Amino acid sequence: MAIRGLLLDFYGTVVHDDEDAVDAVCARVAATTGVPHDEVAHTWWRDYCALADDAQGSSYRRLRDLARDSLGRTVAALAPGHRGLDLDELVAPMYAYWSTPDPYPDALTFLADPPVPVCLVSDVDDADLAASLDRLGLDLPAVTSERSRAYKPAAPSFDLALELLGLGPDDVAHAGDSLTSDVTGANARGIRSVWVNRTGRPAPTRGPLPTWTVPDLAGLGDLLRGDVAAPVTALRPGAVSTT
């Protein structure tokens, strides 16, 4: 079945992710507390994921709140009693980046004339995505975690994006850089998945497997332009599309 619409992740796919801002926070915590940087990063990610998993539906909480509170939990666990860190000051540059991210040039080219209708699907707060799109001059339908009151890979964000496009799971593909959030979430919803592997990570051999892999959004455009007129089964699942 041809792809008639695209669900598209934003951070890490259309724009650079916040890894530099996150790394700076971890470095600051490590320097102040003496806890190794990697331990801070691992624990913070674990604590964030635990909070995000619980922040669904009536228990939804904004990304900014989850980021700050999970960092507080991390500091309390790794350096109990330490009082030399101001959480609000620590996360402020990360918050700022979410509304002023740096775009990938190939993404802007792709979105200037996409082969099929696009709906963004992003785990971010409404105001930050709106500011980002305005800054980049992009006018696209979008589903945020704040709007769906859920975080990927949970189904609500995918379902709302399908509703906005007026299409069903069989009609679309979802593209993103995260095997956990994007590929797992799309696969679970019966949506074909495209892993945007910008950094050349090794292809997975188990767990969530993408339908296709592309190196960037230029490759995604090639894939979609081929699929507009031909069934997607004509392309080899899991392959990097160069045609």
Side-chain angles (χ1 to χ4, degrees):
M1 182 177 292
I3 295 175
R4 299 171 51 208
L6 177 69
L7 314 187
L8 185 64
D9 174 56
F10 190 67
Y11 295 91
T13 302
V14 174
V15 298
H16 290 265
D17 214 342
D18 59 0
E19 60 266 15
D20 288 344
V22 170
D23 185 70
V25 174
C26 294
R28 175 85 176 276
V29 172
T32 304
T33 64
V35 177
H37 177 285
D38 288 351
E39 186 175 357
V40 174
H42 172 78
T43 306
W44 187 14
W45 176 244
R46 182 198 64 197
D47 290 341
Y48 164 77
C49 289
L51 291 181
D53 286 345
D54 291 336
Q56 313 285 344
S58 61
S59 299
Y60 170 79
R61 300 177 64 203
R62 295 188 316 150
L63 178 63
R64 287 187 174 218
D65 297 329
L66 294 185
R68 183 192 183 281
D69 291 353
S70 58
L71 180 61
R73 179 184 292 190
T74 295
V75 172
L78 297 180
H82 190 86
R83 301 184 182 279
L85 292 169
D86 183 325
L87 293 179
D88 292 319
E89 179 187 356
L90 279 173
V91 297
M94 188 169 64
Y95 289 175
Y97 182 77
W98 290 344
S99 60
T100 58
D102 300 318
Y104 288 106
D106 61 89
L108 296 182
T109 300
F110 172 84
L111 290 172
D113 186 24
V116 295
V118 174
C119 181
L120 298 175
V121 182
S122 181
D123 284 345
V124 72
D125 300 338
D126 287 347
D128 288 323
L129 184 60
S132 298
L133 295 179
D134 183 66
R135 177 173 175 267
L136 298 175
L138 296 174
D139 183 14
L140 296 166
V143 174
T144 64
S145 51
E146 185 171 2
R147 185 171 181 182
S148 70
R149 306 191 71 78
Y151 291 90
K152 296 180 290 183
S157 291
F158 297 96
D159 290 342
L160 186 51
L162 291 173
E163 182 180 331
L164 290 178
L165 290 179
L167 297 171
D170 291 341
D171 298 319
V172 305
H174 174 78
D177 69 305
S178 172
L179 290 169
T180 303
S181 297
D182 296 306
V183 173
T184 297
N187 289 356
R189 190 60 186 83
I191 296 170
R192 289 163 289 184
S193 56
V194 185
W195 182 33
V196 182
N197 184 15
R198 290 186 175 277
T199 58
R201 287 173 286 170
T205 58
R206 63 179 65 183
L209 299 178
T211 311
W212 301 283
T213 299
V214 296
D216 50 33
L217 294 202
L220 177 62
D222 291 341
L223 173 68
L224 292 174
R225 278 187 290 272
D227 279 326
V228 168
V232 295
T233 50
L235 296 172
R236 178 166 59 89
V240 174
S241 172
T242 58
T243 59

